[in-house]
Amino acid sequence: MITIEANGAKIPALGFGTYQLTGSLGTDMVATALNLGYRHIDTARMYGNEAEVGRGIATSGIPREEIFLTTKIWPDDFAHDDFLRSAEQSVKNLGTTPDLLLLHWPSKTVPLDETIAALVEAQRKGLTRFIGVSNFTIPLLRLATEHSPIPLVNNQIEYHPYLSQDALLPFHRKLGIATTAHCPTARGKVMDDPVIKKIADAHGTNPIQVTLRWLIQQEGVAAIPRTSSEKNAKSNLKVLEFELTPDEMAQISALRSTNYRICDFAFSPVWDAVA
């Protein structure tokens, strides 16, 4: 497995996302993914499936120390005491301490310095090994790093072939933090893309695999595709078996001029300008 080193953390570049995987399906898919070879599992308090994810890890038979587990705290719990209670609840739900605890989205109401202080305290209390953020822009990430005496290791952001992050990714690298791409296949949109399909045909693969390979072949980038199918979870691991040429990487990167964003809500920050 390709791993990304970021301020002391070693993050497997291909992870398994669990959004909307609840109940027995969530538990079974986490266990299945781990037994297929995944070693990076992503969840969040908001997903309502931390307990299922924890059970999946416990029943997989894979040693806990081999797994990199991420969870995220929702902005409703960003006030200092609420945050710590939420982080403690995550540990209870999961039945284990997460490796990485993220702020799920920036808050427009709770001061960032208050939440970062709580995030740092959560790490010092042993509620997580590493800390980071999600859906943060360059200005917000700059503030977060200024407020944190502990280096952040990750910013989880929407990133796929139709959304440029050309401003943010170099800033991540400058700070030494990893990029984790959520919505990595634009929720399946890549399946119908003629450019990606042509590249997939040349490699005897499919557009999902090519897209995931394009992501993890970039410096410091991880991807966390979600699937409820064992067949697709196994297929996604094939990205570790081939490489894209520089020309193929450039062809896919050229698609980002569309700037198609999926996760843009009333509570979203003002996104970084795109050249």
Side-chain angles (χ1 to χ4, degrees):
M1 179 66 73
I2 301 169
T3 59
I4 300 166
E5 296 194 13
N7 289 328
K10 293 185 177 181
I11 306 172
L14 185 65
F16 186 78
T18 65
Y19 177 57
Q20 295 181 326
L21 296 180
T22 57
S24 60
L25 175 63
T27 297
D28 292 345
M29 281 307 303
V30 168
T32 295
L34 290 170
N35 280 291
L36 286 173
Y38 289 86
R39 290 297 181 268
H40 175 181
I41 304 293
D42 180 87
T43 185
R45 289 298 310 278
M46 188 272 284
Y47 299 170
N49 66 0
E50 286 179 324
E52 290 96 322
V53 168
R55 284 194 293 271
I57 291 172
T59 60
S60 70
I62 304 301
R64 174 65 184 89
E65 61 270 19
E66 294 184 13
I67 302 165
F68 192 91
L69 174 62
T70 299
T71 195
K72 304 179 280 290
I73 304 296
W74 193 250
D76 288 354
D77 289 329
F78 274 11
H80 183 275
D81 292 350
D82 292 339
F83 187 93
L84 290 174
R85 279 193 292 269
S86 190
E88 289 170 354
Q89 189 60 51
S90 283
V91 173
K92 291 177 183 177
N93 292 343
L94 292 163
T96 185
T97 301
D99 296 283
L100 177 60
L101 185 65
L102 304 179
L103 308 184
H104 204 152
W105 283 86
S107 172
K108 292 187 176 181
T109 57
V110 181
L112 183 57
D113 59 347
E114 178 179 349
T115 308
I116 291 295
L119 181 63
V120 168
E121 189 172 342
Q123 192 269 350
R124 288 175 171 163
K125 284 178 173 288
L127 301 174
T128 182
R129 293 176 61 218
F130 301 103
I131 59 174
V133 295
S134 182
N135 300 301
F136 269 47
T137 60
I138 290 174
L140 288 170
L141 189 55
R142 184 179 289 114
L143 281 174
T145 56
E146 288 174 358
H147 288 310
S148 178
I150 298 172
L152 305 179
V153 306
N154 188 235
N155 186 16
Q156 187 176 125
I157 58 172
E158 180 178 345
Y159 187 37
H160 48 69
Y162 309 113
L163 179 62
S164 174
Q165 295 288 8
D166 283 352
L168 190 52
L169 266 62
F171 190 64
H172 286 177
R173 294 174 187 132
K174 179 181 178 181
L175 295 174
I177 72 174
T179 302
T180 298
H182 68 72
C183 302
T185 65
R187 295 190 176 165
K189 183 177 171 68
V190 299
M191 287 296 293
D192 298 319
D193 191 285
V195 172
I196 298 175
K197 287 172 74 173
K198 184 177 180 181
I199 294 171
D201 289 342
H203 286 271
T205 59
N206 65 48
I208 297 292
Q209 294 166 330
V210 166
T211 300
L212 294 175
R213 182 68 211 188
W214 171 77
L215 285 165
I216 69 171
Q217 201 165 307
Q218 296 176 55
E219 180 187 351
V221 177
I224 46 171
R226 181 206 70 94
T227 180
S228 59
S229 160
E230 180 178 351
K231 178 182 177 182
N232 290 343
K234 187 174 183 179
S235 174
N236 290 346
L237 284 170
K238 297 288 186 181
V239 305
L240 302 173
E241 299 176 6
F242 70 96
E243 290 188 14
L244 299 174
T245 67
D247 180 63
E248 290 167 338
M249 291 288 291
Q251 288 182 55
I252 299 171
S253 294
L255 300 172
R256 296 178 297 182
S257 61
T258 57
N259 285 312
Y260 169 72
R261 188 181 289 276
I262 297 168
C263 298
D264 194 13
F265 311 111
F267 56 78
S268 297
V270 177
W271 300 113
D272 296 311
V274 177

